[in-house]
Amino acid sequence: MAVVRDKTVVVTGAGGGIGAALARRFAAEGARVVVNDLDEAKAKRTADAIGAVAVAGDASAVVPAAREALGGGIDIFCANAGVGTGGGPDAPEEDWALAWDVNVMAHVRAARELVPEWLERGSGRFISTVSAAGLLTMVAAAPYSVTKHGAYAFAEWLSLTYRHRGIDVHAICPQGVRTDMLAATGTAGDLVLTPTAVEPEDVAEALFAAMAEGRFLVLPHPEVADYYTARAAEPDRWLGGMNHLQRKLEQADGRS
């Protein structure tokens, strides 16, 4: 793929799941890849399997170390690391802060480092792994839903601000993906996400199709487009349907 071959790529949260699938696909297409993860062993395992370089550590601060590992600039940055924090307003302050820091501010910090370089040379590609929750909302997970809305809004802002200056932006918004994060969602995940869950490789395939077509929005579950349209066109009807899911969740959990 011409837009990827010989490019330098950083994928955060790539020790497993979607991140590892993205790293594998970029490497297979001829890119030079940095695999980032908080877990050094996982990062190294993914990197070794695909001939990439592992750079462990916080996704918020990976850009300088990744540049050094690559021996130069970064062409494509995949802001993939995320946390699936559940609960509502009663969730601990620390959970809200963590979700905001990882799901939103890590993207902002990476863009802060990368955008000036990309504007100077007139090219760059920023890829945000958001979630269908960023377009819709996820029951039983207020911190996750709110911060994924924020991640999507930031990706939109980057695209509308810089697309005429050579910066391409993509927002990946899957529903359920068979990863450790899905396994940790419990009853809510079983009810909403598991029935239509896809493999991480399907997410990578959807991204590459979007890059080839120059599309911002990446939907590994195409039906999300219909849900998003319904949400905008008839918000009360859509909220009623989501409330129905909430009641089903409460019944499954024995709360009603």
Side-chain angles (χ1 to χ4, degrees):
M1 189 175 181
V3 298
V4 171
R5 191 173 300 112
D6 298 324
K7 299 297 186 182
T8 53
V9 181
V10 178
V11 187
T12 67
I18 294 172
L22 294 177
R24 286 192 294 268
R25 182 61 185 272
F26 276 109
E29 295 286 346
R32 295 168 53 214
V33 180
V34 162
V35 173
N36 164 257
D37 200 275
L38 272 177
D39 188 316
E40 185 174 4
K42 287 184 177 180
K44 190 173 188 307
R45 184 162 58 246
T46 299
D48 288 349
I50 61 175
V53 180
V55 175
D58 190 334
S60 285
V62 71
V63 171
R67 281 197 184 110
E68 184 177 348
L70 291 165
I74 296 166
D75 298 311
I76 301 170
F77 189 88
C78 300
N80 173 77
V83 292
T85 313
D90 56 329
E93 192 78 12
E94 295 79 9
D95 288 0
W96 279 95
L98 178 64
W100 179 255
D101 193 67
V102 177
N103 294 345
V104 181
M105 290 308 300
H107 299 205
V108 175
R109 293 177 188 123
R112 188 181 293 150
E113 291 272 357
L114 293 164
V115 166
E117 169 191 337
W118 290 348
L119 290 176
E120 184 174 346
R121 70 184 185 192
S123 66
R125 192 176 298 269
F126 195 95
I127 299 166
S128 297
T129 300
V130 183
S131 167
L135 296 174
L136 305 171
T137 288
M138 178 62 186
V139 295
Y144 182 74
S145 297
V146 170
T147 55
K148 286 299 187 177
H149 275 280
Y152 183 77
F154 184 64
E156 271 192 334
W157 188 91
L158 287 176
S159 182
L160 68 89
T161 303
Y162 299 119
R163 60 170 48 204
H164 68 295
R165 300 182 66 181
I167 297 179
D168 296 298
V169 183
H170 308 277
I172 308 174
C173 297
Q175 292 195 110
V177 182
R178 296 187 184 97
T179 65
D180 291 343
M181 187 179 288
L182 175 61
T185 57
T187 305
D190 292 341
L191 181 66
V192 180
L193 302 175
T194 301
T196 60
V198 299
E199 298 297 333
E201 289 74 19
D202 297 320
V203 178
E205 179 63 30
L207 170 63
F208 272 70
M211 287 194 295
E213 297 168 14
R215 282 189 289 106
F216 168 77
L217 188 55
V218 183
L219 297 178
H221 297 79
E223 61 270 24
V224 169
D226 294 330
Y227 304 153
Y228 191 41
T229 299
R231 175 179 177 268
E234 298 184 86
D236 286 300
R237 183 176 180 181
W238 179 82
L239 285 167
M242 291 298 288
N243 180 252
H244 179 68
L245 281 177
Q246 173 65 27
R247 284 177 284 156
K248 286 181 67 174
L249 175 62
E250 292 176 7
Q251 290 170 358
D253 284 341
R255 285 181 279 165
S256 64

